[in-house]
Amino acid sequence: MTPVIFFSAVFAVLLSPPTLAADPAHGIAMHGQPALAAGFPHLPYANPQAPKGGVIKLGQIGSFDSLNPFIVQGVAAYGIRENIYESLLGRSADEPFSLYGLLARSIEVPEDRGSITFHLDPDARFSDGRPVTADDVLFSWALLKDKGQPYMRSHYRTVTKAEQPAPGSVRFTFDDSGNREAPLLLGLMPILPKHRTNPETFERSTFEKPVGSGPYLVDRFEPGRNIVYALNPVWWGRDKPINRGRYNFGEIRTEYFRDQTTLFEAFKVGDIDLRFEDDAGRWAEGYAFPAVADGRIRRSEIPTS
């Protein structure tokens, strides 16, 4: 593939006044309503006709000594959370903070946002073929609340009651702090398979290949050097509107480098396919080399307005 490079920037968006959902809904926004109506075919920036397959090679600084991205101990491999695990709701990158159904087919949120009820998609499956159930959701919440990363412990402890009001549904009731973000934070909670997760050893770093419901599987890795993800050929969520046209590469390879200089040199000679540049000086002066001049590397800027 032709390497592509982007220059990233920070931007702010003026939010609209809030309107609150009360009925079953396909999504939720921090303020106002989600931009996409129920039944949307795909995210605006996704291309359902995008070619499938191929390999993309990425670069990362540092090292890793774990395949568990949810705990304090160790440094997890890049991409584990995004490629292996899914949450109840998924984000749209076109909106400041709007979420749409993923593992959950629909949600219910009262006007005061004092609770949120998730109705799971009955088609949702982990990569080992087992269904994603309400028990998995309640298990994940309890485990991450007690043993997850500090931000997870903080967010998930705003829940005062977690229950299963009906088969395939989970309701979380929040404390009286009035945190309007709480329902969205629960929507982004990663869901772990109860049948493949041992609470007794969860807080220890591990190289055991994880089981999730996401688009990729851990194919192979060399600790601290590289990790390769392979697209799950029977991924349950490929035709969900929020996923359609995304996750197209058949294989994602991430190589680790000692520092930015080494990584940049690897990019210049074609060992890395994609790079997000965050150094304005390098963006302005560092790309005068043959691969840019002859078109093998294309530079693009991400618009922020």
Side-chain angles (χ1 to χ4, degrees), residues 53 70 94 97 152 188 229 304:
F70 307 121
D94 265 2
F97 197 177
M152 293 178 169
L188 290 176
Y229 301 98
T304 59

Side-chain angles (χ1 to χ4, degrees), residues 92-260:
S92 167
D94 265 2
E95 301 172 60
F97 197 177
S98 291
L99 306 178
Y100 297 92
L102 187 50
L103 289 173
R105 176 172 287 180
S106 64
I107 59 173
E108 294 180 48
V109 184
E111 290 191 6
D112 65 359
R113 296 204 174 188
S115 68
I116 184 169
T117 303
F118 299 97
H119 303 293
L120 299 180
D121 190 322
D123 294 332
R125 294 289 184 276
F126 291 109
S127 60
D128 62 1
R130 296 278 290 270
V132 179
T133 68
D135 281 345
D136 293 309
V137 176
L138 294 172
F139 170 82
S140 299
W141 166 75
L143 182 65
L144 296 173
K145 173 178 63 71
D146 293 337
K147 298 185 177 183
Q149 294 275 5
Y151 76 91
M152 293 178 169
R153 303 184 193 200
S154 175
H155 293 330
Y156 304 157
R157 284 176 181 171
T158 62
V159 173
T160 59
K161 186 177 183 181
E163 58 187 323
Q164 185 178 166
S169 298
V170 177
R171 178 179 297 132
F172 295 104
T173 302
F174 305 106
D175 59 26
D176 58 2
S177 62
N179 182 1
R180 290 181 49 81
E181 193 178 25
L184 289 88
L185 296 174
L186 264 293
L188 290 176
M189 179 177 66
I191 304 305
L192 287 63
K194 181 178 180 179
H195 64 283
R196 292 292 297 267
T197 307
N198 183 355
E200 299 302 317
T201 60
F202 181 72
E203 293 178 280
R204 304 175 195 166
S205 296
T206 179
F207 281 123
E208 181 180 355
K209 290 185 178 181
V211 172
S213 62
Y216 288 90
L217 310 170
V218 173
D219 184 57
R220 58 192 185 275
F221 61 90
E222 295 179 77
R225 298 186 63 183
N226 57 62
I227 185 166
V228 179
Y229 301 98
L231 188 64
N232 183 355
V234 293
W235 175 40
W236 80 276
R238 69 173 65 253
D239 292 322
K240 292 278 288 187
I242 196 168
N243 294 328
R244 198 171 293 137
R246 304 169 66 201
Y247 308 108
N248 300 308
F249 290 103
E251 190 172 280
I252 301 174
R253 300 177 185 172
T254 298
E255 297 286 340
Y256 279 78
F257 297 86
R258 182 180 66 253
D259 51 43
Q260 280 287 357

